[in-house]
Amino acid sequence: MRRIQRQNITKREYQERELKSEIKKQEDYKDMFEDLKEIICEYVDVAPETIKEDSRFIEDLGFNSYDFMSMVGEIEEKFDVEVEEREVVNVKTVKDAVDYIQSLQAE
Protein backbone atom coordinates (compact mmCIF):
# COMPACT_ATOMS: atom_id res chain seq x y z
CA MET A 1 0.00 0.00 0.00
CA ARG A 2 1.30 3.39 -0.94
CA ARG A 3 1.59 5.94 1.81
CA ILE A 4 0.60 9.51 1.20
CA GLN A 5 2.50 12.11 3.17
CA ARG A 6 0.49 14.99 4.50
CA GLN A 7 2.01 18.40 4.67
CA ASN A 8 1.99 19.90 8.09
CA ILE A 9 0.86 23.45 7.61
CA THR A 10 -0.60 25.87 10.04
CA LYS A 11 -4.09 27.28 9.77
CA ARG A 12 -2.60 30.64 8.86
CA GLU A 13 -0.49 29.16 6.05
CA TYR A 14 -3.57 27.38 4.74
CA GLN A 15 -5.58 30.62 4.78
CA GLU A 16 -2.77 32.48 3.00
CA ARG A 17 -2.66 29.82 0.27
CA GLU A 18 -6.43 30.01 -0.15
CA LEU A 19 -6.29 33.80 -0.37
CA LYS A 20 -3.51 33.70 -2.98
CA SER A 21 -5.49 31.15 -4.96
CA GLU A 22 -8.61 33.33 -4.86
CA ILE A 23 -6.65 36.42 -5.93
CA LYS A 24 -5.14 34.46 -8.84
CA LYS A 25 -8.62 33.33 -9.94
CA GLN A 26 -9.87 36.92 -9.85
CA GLU A 27 -6.87 38.14 -11.86
CA ASP A 28 -7.35 35.34 -14.41
CA TYR A 29 -11.04 36.25 -14.68
CA LYS A 30 -10.24 39.93 -15.27
CA ASP A 31 -7.62 39.09 -17.90
CA MET A 32 -10.01 36.77 -19.72
CA PHE A 33 -12.79 39.37 -19.55
CA GLU A 34 -10.50 41.98 -21.12
CA ASP A 35 -9.38 39.54 -23.85
CA LEU A 36 -12.98 38.66 -24.58
CA LYS A 37 -13.92 42.34 -24.85
CA GLU A 38 -11.23 42.78 -27.51
CA ILE A 39 -12.58 39.82 -29.46
CA ILE A 40 -16.16 41.10 -29.19
CA CYS A 41 -15.10 44.46 -30.64
CA GLU A 42 -13.79 42.67 -33.73
CA TYR A 43 -17.30 41.38 -34.49
CA VAL A 44 -19.65 44.18 -33.49
CA ASP A 45 -19.40 47.94 -33.48
CA VAL A 46 -19.26 48.69 -29.75
CA ALA A 47 -16.78 50.54 -27.59
CA PRO A 48 -14.86 48.25 -25.21
CA GLU A 49 -15.77 50.39 -22.19
CA THR A 50 -19.47 49.79 -22.84
CA ILE A 51 -19.11 46.02 -22.55
CA LYS A 52 -20.09 44.83 -19.08
CA GLU A 53 -20.30 41.38 -17.52
CA ASP A 54 -24.08 41.39 -17.86
CA SER A 55 -24.04 42.58 -21.50
CA ARG A 56 -26.11 40.16 -23.58
CA PHE A 57 -24.55 39.18 -26.88
CA ILE A 58 -27.65 39.52 -29.04
CA GLU A 59 -29.84 42.04 -27.26
CA ASP A 60 -27.19 44.46 -25.96
CA LEU A 61 -24.16 43.99 -28.21
CA GLY A 62 -25.97 43.37 -31.49
CA PHE A 63 -24.59 39.97 -32.44
CA ASN A 64 -26.36 37.88 -35.03
CA SER A 65 -26.04 34.10 -34.95
CA TYR A 66 -23.38 34.00 -37.70
CA ASP A 67 -21.15 36.57 -35.97
CA PHE A 68 -21.62 34.85 -32.63
CA MET A 69 -20.56 31.45 -33.99
CA SER A 70 -17.62 33.05 -35.81
CA MET A 71 -16.54 34.62 -32.54
CA VAL A 72 -16.85 31.22 -30.83
CA GLY A 73 -14.31 29.85 -33.32
CA GLU A 74 -11.89 32.61 -32.44
CA ILE A 75 -12.46 31.99 -28.73
CA GLU A 76 -11.56 28.32 -29.26
CA GLU A 77 -8.26 29.33 -30.84
CA LYS A 78 -7.43 32.13 -28.40
CA PHE A 79 -8.14 30.16 -25.22
CA ASP A 80 -7.26 26.69 -26.55
CA VAL A 81 -10.65 25.17 -25.76
CA GLU A 82 -13.23 23.14 -27.66
CA VAL A 83 -16.72 24.59 -27.38
CA GLU A 84 -19.71 22.27 -27.51
CA GLU A 85 -22.39 23.73 -29.79
CA ARG A 86 -25.22 22.36 -27.66
CA GLU A 87 -23.74 24.03 -24.57
CA VAL A 88 -22.87 27.38 -26.17
CA VAL A 89 -26.58 28.10 -26.72
CA ASN A 90 -26.77 28.69 -22.96
CA VAL A 91 -24.19 31.46 -23.17
CA LYS A 92 -26.21 34.66 -23.15
CA THR A 93 -23.96 37.22 -21.43
CA VAL A 94 -20.27 38.07 -21.43
CA LYS A 95 -20.02 36.69 -17.88
CA ASP A 96 -21.60 33.43 -19.06
CA ALA A 97 -18.90 33.24 -21.75
CA VAL A 98 -16.02 33.85 -19.34
CA ASP A 99 -17.40 31.31 -16.85
CA TYR A 100 -17.89 28.75 -19.63
CA ILE A 101 -14.37 29.24 -21.01
CA GLN A 102 -12.89 28.90 -17.53
CA SER A 103 -14.85 25.70 -16.97
CA LEU A 104 -13.48 24.27 -20.22
CA GLN A 105 -9.92 25.20 -19.26
CA ALA A 106 -10.35 23.50 -15.88
CA GLU A 107 -11.20 20.17 -17.51
Side-chain angles (χ1 to χ4, degrees), residues 19-83:
L19 180 60
K20 286 179 184 177
S21 175
E22 185 59 33
I23 290 170
K24 174 85 169 103
K25 286 179 190 175
Q26 290 174 1
E27 289 171 351
D28 290 347
Y29 182 92
K30 288 178 187 176
D31 290 344
M32 186 175 290
F33 178 68
E34 291 302 317
D35 289 345
L36 190 55
K37 282 174 37 174
E38 288 178 23
I39 293 171
I40 289 168
C41 290
E42 293 176 21
Y43 289 89
V44 291
D45 188 25
V46 295
E49 60 273 5
T50 64
I51 301 171
K52 308 296 180 211
E53 288 182 333
D54 63 346
S55 296
R56 297 169 296 176
F57 285 102
I58 295 170
E59 296 87 345
D60 301 325
L61 301 174
F63 272 84
N64 62 39
S65 58
Y66 177 79
D67 288 336
F68 183 79
M69 291 310 292
S70 297
M71 181 190 68
V72 167
E74 188 169 340
I75 287 170
E76 288 179 315
E77 289 179 27
K78 169 79 177 174
F79 299 106
D80 194 29
V81 295
E82 189 170 322
V83 173

Side-chain angles (χ1 to χ4, degrees), residues 83-97:
V83 173
E84 296 290 329
E85 285 186 33
R86 62 181 171 235
E87 291 178 12
V88 79
V89 298
N90 298 318
V91 174
K92 306 291 185 202
T93 67
V94 177
K95 182 182 183 327
D96 292 344

